[in-house]
Amino acid sequence: MFLHSVNLWNLAFYVFMVFMATLGLWDVFFGFEENKCSMSYMFEYPEYQKIELPKKLAKRYPAYELYLYGEGSYAEEHKILPLTGIPVLFLPGNAGSYKQVRSIGSIALRKAEDIDFKYHFDFFSVNFNEELVALYGGSLQKQTKFVHECIKTILKLYKGQEFAPKSVAIIGHSMGGLVARALLTLKNFKHDLINLLITQATPHVAPVMPLDRFITDFYTTVNNYWILNARHINLTTLSVAGGFRDYQVRSGLTFLPKLSHHTSALSVVSSAVPKTWVSTDHLSIVWCKQLQLTTVRAFFDLIDADTKQITQNSKKKLSVLTHHFIRHPSKHFEENPAIISDLTGTSMWVPVKVSKWTYVAYNESEKIYFTFPLENHRKIYTHVYCQSTMLQGVDLSWKAELLPTIKTLTLRLQDYPSLSHLVVYVPSVHGSKFVVDCEFFKKETRSIQLPVTHLFSFGLSSRKVMLNTNGLYYNIELLNFGQIYQAFKINVVSKCSAVKEEITSIYKLHIPWSYEDSLTVAQAPSSTEISLKLHIAQPENDSHVALLKMYTSSDCRYEVTIKTSFSQILGQVVRFHGGALPAYVVSNMLLTYRGQLYSLFSTGCCLEYATMLDKEAKPYKVDPFVIIIKFLLGYKWFNELWDVLLLPELDAVILTSQSMCFPLISLILFLFGTCTAYWSGLLSSASVRLLSSLWLALKRPSELPKDIKMISPDLPFLTIVLIIVSWTTCGALAILLSYVYYVFKVVHLQASLTTFKNSQPVNPKHSRRSEKKSNHHKDSSVHHLRLSANDAEDSLRMHSTVINLLTWIVLLSMPSLIYWLKNLRYYFKLNPDPCKPLAFILIPTMAILGNTYTVSIKSSKLLKTASQFPLPLAVGVIAFGSAHLYRVPCFVFIPLLLHALCNFM
């Protein structure tokens, strides 16, 4: 029945949209590199020592606990407090375990053993009972206050020690990082209690899914505080994102806001972190060995030798984090490195006068200095490039960069006019191969411009460059690339002359406006495919160009081809805007609902859900209004009027401020919403029919109701009971029970109609006569309405749409119900409860609608008004609900309430 009401063209469109959505989802969930993280292992059995909290604190937060991590003899020694190390507090995120501290805790313990415990760290971890704080924001403030108490408790454990700490370092995973930032917003919190904050995969900018107002209010409070008080916040903060493997928290949300007067914050993607160079998923970021090793090295370099605690010097902290997480010169960190080096000694000195030079050492016992006179080279070349170099004299090696297989250095000759020679120092090599390559070159010969292909070329066209020279280094400028909706595939083909050994090439995508670089290591000759897409769009006032840096071999020639990747563009749409889809689905359903109500008002019958969806759900009914409002908000007078009316900020304006606007994105999402509304309608219709068949199989056949009663005797009692349930337990639970009651009533009606049809004779004339008779009886007896088969079918069509709308309300309220069920042993009543106000209105509305039939509202004076409301509400749900999903149910219950009131007016 449902499929018959859709023509083949529309069905083909819905199937095509499913295919498009599948391509986008595949790119998000599977279109990334394999997990290259090494697993971190414990050498001894991990132990978690529970720290006893004050009784009042334990009573106030019964679900929360504080633990100290340890292994082996260290764990045994520290069971007897006080402690003597450097405190670090780990905060787990959404549904996170306090045991996630073990990876970094174990690595730090091994590092301390290597230096005979000259310094060591004590890793504490908070047990938040694995609360789902990304779905329910009502406990975020409670978690923040508990962490404050934990910090004070931790510092008391060091009282009386010679080098007692006055502050702690915090590592926050996921939402734990946001809780750490929220500490600064507490009234009685002293900022100097935290000396360092490192967050891992924390969505700082906005919640991933804004499912209740408590989450968005918490974000607003935290971010506004950090922006308004940036001058006074001296907390060194590092945010590490997981890259494209982390599909739970996209990396763009993890970047801390760049403020000109707040220079103590760094944001980086794990694929750009030196010695890590891998993308991590949302969980592996806490155990990825490469990343945890980098973090532990940074912690030990941050120690002040005088206080034996983390340094209070903000400049040093930022230098250490930059050294380990941004640009590593392949040297141990030095706060004040020596610039002048002594070149005296018995080492061999070898002058080199050629512009390109390679040296290979196998078992060299002597140190060698190779000298390059610069006077003549300056006249011809602009730059010098070296690989695997260790430079002395004026020690330029601090300007080097560490890559996976080589150390590189590129110098602009005019920056060093006073230098007469460049000296390359090769140490004695025992039992290993050591290769040094150097060349002088002109910048113009190694910088090549490659404009990217057009967004709508769909991968059918490509652009290509050939690198025919025998250089070691190339810069390919990717022109016109800087938007998050752009996505490309780069193919690098290397062809090499006959060589016996493997040749390694490195391709580095460098994004100059954010630290989201990625590296690809390839063995030449080969064909290597590289994905090109962004986490952060290029700022409007930024003129830098994205680069493909190629560290190549002089024995190979390279061909670089770029073309648009349509599947990855769809992936970017899903990644950046997939969370807004429920708002667009509901908007489509509201337009369908409007069509059915108006059809009932004008013709006295209700059309099928799918037919009305095809007819009414058109993007031109919604998008133009949102675009016009956004345009008018650019004028001061309209903005002031908007504020006077106390209207919330337009979601489209928020997306623009976050550089998330795609071309035609609203249209694309609306079409995806139409497709989702269609298939969900098909699913709900099939489910009702299946349940009615089961009902008929289990119960005796029922008849269509002879008398239509809007309020049955048990309805007020049921409504009061559900309202009491909402008040005393959880609003979402009461909404779910009301929804089940409503579905039961619809299933019962479907079963009654099926029984009636099966009992009727096949003769259509007899059927029509019985319908006329029924209608005549209905007209002559207004107070005792009888339900005919046609009226029952009309009612079921209307109920089908209402079920679809109610399903989305239930789905959007489920997170708070799940949270309540998970914490039921601690709290019987959910407080605060985001669904309670909605439940008070929705429960009686659903109870009445469950007993509503189209025949009872056809003559209602309110029906015309009720049919007009869904259209502006469909616009409103897009304007105000796409970035604030918790508002969506508010736009749904209004037409449902009017529909219910039609029974009485």
Side-chain angles (χ1 to χ4, degrees):
M1 180 70 75
F2 193 93
L3 284 171
H4 293 164
S5 60
V6 182
N7 63 49
L8 289 178
W9 286 111
N10 286 333
L11 186 60
F13 165 75
Y14 295 137
V15 173
F16 174 71
M17 292 305 295
V18 169
F19 172 71
M20 298 274 279
T22 303
L23 284 180
L25 290 169
W26 179 269
D27 179 71
V28 171
F29 294 107
F30 304 102
F32 41 68
E33 65 182 49
E34 62 181 3
N35 193 348
K36 296 178 182 178
C37 279
S38 300
M39 178 65 78
S40 52
Y41 295 97
M42 281 59 70
F43 291 89
E44 298 177 272
Y45 190 79
E47 294 187 34
Y48 304 89
Q49 180 184 348
K50 186 176 178 181
I51 303 298
E52 188 175 348
L53 300 172
K55 290 183 179 180
K56 287 185 178 179
L57 190 63
K59 188 176 180 180
R60 196 186 315 160
Y61 305 101
Y64 300 160
E65 296 168 322
L66 177 65
Y67 287 88
L68 171 65
Y69 176 81
E71 295 177 20
S73 59
Y74 169 86
E76 290 298 322
E77 290 173 8
H78 288 82
K79 284 181 179 177
I80 304 173
L81 303 174
L83 303 174
T84 58
I86 304 168
V88 179
L89 178 61
F90 176 81
L91 303 180
N94 177 59
S97 169
Y98 66 95
K99 294 182 179 181
Q100 290 173 315
V101 73
R102 64 180 176 265
S103 294
I104 191 167
S106 181
I107 292 172
L109 185 58
R110 301 285 85 77
K111 178 78 171 176
E113 287 178 348
D114 292 341
I115 59 174
D116 295 325
F117 283 93
K118 180 181 178 182
Y119 309 111
H120 74 274
F121 289 87
D122 300 318
F123 278 85
F124 297 85
S125 184
V126 174
N127 178 16
F128 285 133
N129 191 35
E130 300 184 9
E131 289 182 336
L132 302 170
V133 288
L135 304 179
Y136 168 75
S139 62
L140 284 168
Q141 190 67 19
K142 184 169 58 177
Q143 286 190 0
T144 306
K145 292 178 179 178
F146 179 74
V147 171
H148 183 198
E149 298 297 334
C150 285
I151 293 173
K152 293 189 286 186
T153 301
I154 289 170
L155 294 178
K156 287 178 183 177
L157 299 177
Y158 295 85
K159 271 192 174 181
Q161 299 302 307
E162 184 181 357
F163 299 101
K166 297 179 180 178
S167 57
V168 302
I170 294 181
I171 299 176
H173 173 237
S174 189
M175 295 297 286
L178 186 70
V179 169
R181 288 180 63 216
L183 285 168
L184 276 62
T185 66
L186 298 178
K187 290 183 179 179
N188 300 322
F189 185 80
K190 297 177 181 178
H191 290 197
D192 55 3
L193 288 178
I194 309 176
N195 53 48
L196 177 69
L197 172 59
I198 296 178
T199 67
Q200 299 173 335
T202 296
H204 292 293
V205 177
V208 177
M209 293 290 284
L211 294 172
D212 66 54
R213 63 181 179 85
F214 304 121
I215 295 178
T216 55
D217 289 348
F218 189 80
Y219 266 89
T220 302
T221 301
V222 173
N223 287 330
N224 284 349
Y225 182 89
W226 277 65
I227 292 171
L228 296 174
N229 298 277
R231 295 182 186 275
H232 310 293
I233 295 175
N234 197 31
L235 175 59
T236 304
T237 308
L238 170 70
S239 174
V240 183
F244 288 109
R245 279 194 63 84
D246 188 352
Y247 51 78
Q248 294 185 46
V249 176
R250 62 178 179 84
S251 296
L253 292 176
T254 68
F255 278 64
L256 292 160
K258 292 183 178 179
L259 303 172
S260 58
H261 44 272
H262 186 211
T263 57
S264 298
L266 290 174
S267 301
V268 63
V269 179
S270 61
S271 59
V273 175
K275 295 190 176 183
T276 301
W277 296 308
V278 296
S279 177
T280 65
D281 59 53
H282 196 63
L283 292 179
S284 68
I285 198 169
V286 299
W287 57 255
C288 182
K289 186 175 180 181
Q290 296 96 311
L291 184 60
Q292 300 311 320
L293 282 170
T294 300
T295 306
V296 169
R297 292 188 199 106
F299 268 125
F300 277 87
D301 281 343
L302 285 165
I303 297 174
D304 187 324
D306 296 329
T307 63
K308 294 190 177 181
Q309 296 293 326
I310 288 179
T311 180
Q312 296 299 316
N313 187 330
S314 298
K315 187 176 180 182
K316 179 182 177 180
K317 284 189 279 190
L318 199 63
S319 297
V320 169
L321 294 178
T322 301
H323 176 92
H324 287 282
F325 288 89
I326 305 299
R327 186 182 178 91
H328 199 296
S330 189
K331 300 180 73 167
H332 292 298
F333 175 80
E334 294 180 30
E335 189 173 358
N336 297 302
I339 299 177
I340 305 298
S341 295
D342 185 9
L343 299 181
T344 60
T346 58
S347 304
M348 184 185 300
W349 289 76
V350 180
V352 181
K353 296 183 179 180
V354 295
S355 61
K356 188 170 184 177
W357 167 84
T358 298
Y359 175 76
V360 181
Y362 288 93
N363 283 296
E364 204 62 60
S365 59
E366 294 186 8
K367 302 174 184 178
I368 305 175
Y369 291 100
F370 294 93
T371 62
F372 296 79
L374 298 180
E375 185 177 354
N376 292 329
H377 288 307
R378 281 198 184 94
K379 297 176 183 178
I380 306 172
Y381 305 106
T382 60
H383 289 70
V384 60
Y385 170 82
C386 288
Q387 295 178 178
S388 297
T389 176
M390 296 183 182
L391 307 176
Q392 302 293 325
V394 176
D395 192 351
L396 302 175
S397 58
W398 283 102
K399 297 182 180 294
E401 181 180 11
L402 180 67
L403 294 174
T405 57
I406 57 174
K407 176 183 177 182
T408 71
L409 174 67
T410 304
L411 299 175
R412 192 169 66 163
L413 295 178
Q414 70 180 54
D415 291 341
Y416 305 94
S418 61
L419 295 184
S420 62
H421 288 74
L422 176 68
V423 180
V424 177
Y425 165 58
V426 178
S428 56
V429 180
H430 300 286
S432 60
K433 182 180 177 181
F434 188 81
V435 181
V436 184
D437 293 294
C438 288
E439 66 172 345
F440 291 84
F441 64 88
K442 284 186 177 181
K443 181 182 178 182
E444 310 85 67
T445 62
R446 302 299 171 84
S447 294
I448 301 164
Q449 294 185 339
L450 178 61
V452 299
T453 49
H454 194 271
L455 178 68
F456 296 109
S457 64
F458 301 109
L460 300 176
S461 62
S462 62
R463 291 197 172 104
K464 183 186 300 184
V465 293
M466 303 286 295
L467 309 179
N468 290 318
T469 59
N470 56 352
L472 299 172
Y473 171 75
Y474 295 91
N475 254 342
I476 297 182
E477 299 177 2
L478 302 169
L479 303 181
N480 308 320
F481 173 63
Q483 300 302 322
I484 53 175
Y485 53 78
Q486 294 176 298
F488 306 93
K489 286 183 180 178
I490 297 177
N491 191 50
V492 181
V493 178
S494 56
K495 299 177 181 178
C496 306
S497 55
V499 288
K500 296 180 180 179
E501 298 180 353
E502 277 191 345
I503 298 174
T504 300
S505 299
I506 299 175
Y507 313 128
K508 178 180 180 180
L509 284 172
H510 175 59
I511 311 301
W513 55 84
S514 63
Y515 297 118
E516 55 177 286
D517 298 0
S518 60
L519 288 88
T520 303
V521 180
Q523 301 299 324
S526 64
S527 177
T528 305
E529 187 174 275
I530 305 169
S531 293
L532 178 61
K533 51 194 173 187
L534 292 171
H535 298 291
I536 298 287
Q538 185 174 15
E540 291 183 3
N541 57 352
D542 193 300
S543 59
H544 291 93
V545 179
L547 301 173
L548 174 61
K549 294 185 175 185
M550 300 182 63
Y551 303 89
T552 57
S553 170
S554 57
D555 296 319
C556 301
R557 301 294 178 268
Y558 296 83
E559 178 183 288
V560 182
T561 306
I562 187 170
K563 61 181 180 180
T564 300
S565 174
F566 184 62
S567 62
Q568 292 189 66
I569 291 174
L570 291 174
Q572 291 291 79
V573 171
V574 174
R575 184 175 287 110
F576 283 85
H577 294 281
L581 184 62
Y584 285 87
V585 176
V586 170
S587 180
N588 276 272
M589 289 180 175
L590 284 172
L591 291 174
T592 305
Y593 190 36
R594 171 195 175 275
Q596 286 184 320
L597 288 172
Y598 187 77
S599 171
L600 188 63
F601 166 74
S602 58
T603 65
C605 63
C606 182
L607 297 179
E608 283 280 356
Y609 171 83
T611 304
M612 199 56 71
L613 180 69
D614 294 336
K615 182 179 178 181
E616 293 292 331
K618 306 297 180 185
Y620 61 78
K621 294 183 177 181
V622 174
D623 282 348
F625 293 99
V626 178
I627 294 170
I628 291 170
I629 293 171
K630 181 184 174 184
F631 173 76
L632 290 175
L633 283 170
Y635 292 95
K636 186 178 179 181
W637 65 269
F638 191 81
N639 223 325
E640 290 175 351
L641 177 62
W642 192 268
D643 293 336
V644 169
L645 295 174
L646 301 177
L647 292 171
E649 189 174 11
L650 196 70
D651 284 359
V653 174
I654 297 173
L655 296 180
T656 303
S657 67
Q658 296 177 5
S659 301
M660 282 178 55
C661 283
F662 283 47
L664 306 176
I665 184 59
S666 189
L667 174 61
I668 295 169
L669 288 174
F670 192 92
L671 295 178
F672 277 130
T674 307
C675 173
T676 307
Y678 170 77
W679 291 111
S680 62
L682 178 61
L683 179 63
S684 67
S685 178
S687 299
V688 168
R689 291 178 182 275
L690 177 62
L691 290 172
S692 68
S693 299
L694 292 173
W695 175 266
L696 290 174
L698 297 173
K699 302 279 287 185
R700 65 178 184 177
S702 54
E703 298 179 353
L704 289 174
K706 296 179 180 179
D707 295 321
I708 297 175
K709 296 180 180 179
M710 289 169 286
I711 301 180
S712 57
D714 60 337
L715 195 60
F717 174 75
L718 179 64
T719 302
I720 292 171
V721 168
L722 289 175
I723 289 176
I724 291 173
V725 168
S726 173
W727 179 263
T728 57
T729 58
C730 173
L733 175 64
I735 290 174
L736 178 62
L737 294 175
S738 301
Y739 174 76
V740 171
Y741 168 78
Y742 183 85
V743 171
F744 166 76
K745 296 293 288 186
V746 176
V747 168
H748 186 267
L749 179 61
Q750 177 69 59
S752 301
L753 180 62
T754 302
T755 302
F756 176 80
K757 286 185 174 181
N758 292 339
S759 65
Q760 292 298 302
V762 183
N763 187 349
K765 292 183 179 180
H766 177 82
S767 178
R768 280 197 296 269
R769 280 197 301 270
S770 63
E771 287 294 325
K772 287 180 181 179
K773 184 177 179 181
S774 173
N775 289 333
H776 174 74
H777 182 79
K778 177 175 63 180
D779 294 336
S780 61
S781 180
V782 178
H783 297 289
H784 300 282
L785 296 174
R786 294 179 62 84
L787 190 67
S788 66
N790 282 345
D791 290 330
E793 288 182 346
D794 276 354
S795 298
L796 282 171
R797 293 181 189 125
M798 186 68 75
H799 284 309
S800 174
T801 306
V802 174
I803 282 180
N804 287 325
L805 288 168
L806 291 176
T807 300
W808 280 101
I809 292 181
V810 171
L811 288 175
L812 292 172
S813 64
M814 276 298 98
S816 62
L817 175 60
I818 296 169
Y819 178 90
W820 175 75
L821 289 171
K822 197 171 185 302
N823 290 273
L824 193 55
R825 58 176 173 163
Y826 301 108
Y827 314 103
F828 186 72
K829 181 180 180 180
L830 183 63
N831 186 33
D833 189 347
C835 296
K836 188 177 293 182
L838 178 66
F840 288 165
I841 301 174
L842 206 57
I843 289 169
T845 302
M846 279 196 279
I848 295 171
L849 287 177
N851 292 275
T852 297
Y853 305 93
T854 54
V855 66
S856 63
I857 64 169
K858 284 180 182 180
S859 58
S860 172
K861 297 178 181 179
L862 192 61
L863 183 58
K864 183 177 181 181
T865 304
S867 67
Q868 293 171 342
F869 261 80
L871 177 58
L873 292 172
V875 176
V877 79
I878 299 300
F880 303 109
S882 55
H884 298 82
L885 292 179
Y886 65 90
R887 294 174 181 166
V888 171
C890 300
F891 291 95
V892 175
F893 87 79
I894 295 174
L896 294 178
L897 180 61
L898 291 174
H899 185 175
L901 291 175
C902 286
N903 287 285
F904 308 100
M905 300 176 67

